[in-house]
């Protein structure tokens, strides 16, 4: 009984340390993403609406380490009612997220995007595009697209 209790305490301490390290890494990740998006919003004189940012992890640069894809929206540019959806990629280098690339992928009167997954180094998204008579609020044509990080740039692979 005593031998097992000697093992339990060090294991509990180690688990607690790993748990706090994990939450620290996650909060560090959030700070990197938050800072990037805040800078983008300031540059466009707009803001990011709360609660619609979407993040997915997966390997994007063929190194076997999970990276991060973020779909976010900036709205109200220069006081307008416009909005633009962006896809941004952050690579994990030495345990930290580092910004790699971003590009506009959707928005008002363009198309609406939904980040679905990362598989085989490719980002998969569902799309909803505008038919000729669709109002600005409500695109109706369902589709799919994929993006990959190619030479440090996001490249759309295929629209369907």
């Amino acid at each position: 009984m005593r031998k097992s209790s000697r093992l339990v305490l060090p294991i509990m301490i180690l688990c607690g340390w790993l748990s706090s390290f994990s939450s620290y890494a996650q909060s560090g990740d959030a700070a990197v993403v938050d800072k990037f998006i805040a800078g983008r919003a300031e540059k466009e004189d707009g803001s990011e609406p709360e609660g619609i940012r979407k993040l997915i992890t997966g390997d994007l640069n063929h190194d076997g380490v999970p990276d991060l894809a973020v779909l976010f929206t900036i709205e109200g540019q220069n006081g307008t009612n416009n909005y633009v959806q962006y896809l941004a990629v952050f690579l994990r280098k030495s345990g930290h997220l580092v910004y790699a690339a971003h590009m506009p992928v959707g928005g008002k009167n363009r198309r609406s995007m939904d980040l679905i997954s990362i598989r085989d180094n490719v980002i998969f998204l569902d799309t909803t595009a505008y038919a000729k008579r669709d109002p600005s609020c409500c695109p109706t044509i369902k589709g799919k697209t994929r993006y990959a990080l190619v030479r440090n740039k996001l490249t759309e692979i295929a629209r369907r």
Side-chain angles (χ1 to χ4, degrees):
M1 189 84 159
R2 286 185 176 181
K3 287 183 181 180
S4 64
S5 65
R6 285 187 216 158
L7 286 175
V8 170
L9 185 58
I11 291 172
M12 288 174 58
I13 291 170
L14 179 61
C15 288
W17 179 81
L18 287 173
S19 172
S20 65
F21 176 77
S22 173
S23 64
Y24 171 78
Q26 290 173 354
S27 67
D29 290 355
V32 169
V33 173
D34 289 345
K35 183 178 179 181
F36 171 77
I37 294 174
R40 187 81 237 154
E42 183 178 342
K43 191 172 192 173
E44 293 185 27
D45 193 23
S47 62
E48 180 189 22
E50 288 187 34
I52 62 172
R53 179 190 303 179
K54 191 159 183 187
L55 301 94
I56 292 186
T57 59
D59 184 16
L60 293 169
N61 60 349
H62 307 278
D63 67 357
V65 177
D67 303 305
L68 184 68
V70 181
L71 182 67
F72 67 96
T73 302
I74 303 295
E75 67 181 7
Q77 292 85 342
N78 300 309
T80 68
N81 67 351
N82 190 39
Y83 67 91
V84 178
Q85 287 184 292
Y86 291 93
L87 180 61
V89 171
F90 298 83
L91 301 178
R92 190 158 307 276
K93 307 233 178 184
S94 302
H96 302 290
L97 283 184
V98 177
Y99 165 80
H102 79 281
M103 69 181 300
V105 294
K108 188 174 185 178
N109 296 320
R110 183 172 174 204
R111 64 181 173 178
S112 179
M113 305 292 275
D114 188 23
L115 189 57
I116 301 302
S117 65
I118 296 174
R119 291 188 316 268
D120 300 322
N121 311 107
V122 175
I123 304 165
F124 290 79
L125 300 105
D126 284 344
T127 65
T128 309
Y130 289 88
K132 282 185 181 182
R133 298 194 189 273
D134 285 347
S136 294
C137 69
C138 311
T140 59
I141 301 171
K142 303 291 183 192
K144 298 181 181 299
T145 193
R146 301 174 297 165
Y147 283 83
L149 189 63
V150 179
R151 291 184 210 89
N152 294 319
K153 289 187 174 189
L154 281 168
T155 302
E156 189 167 12
I157 297 173
R159 289 185 187 185
R160 293 183 270 148

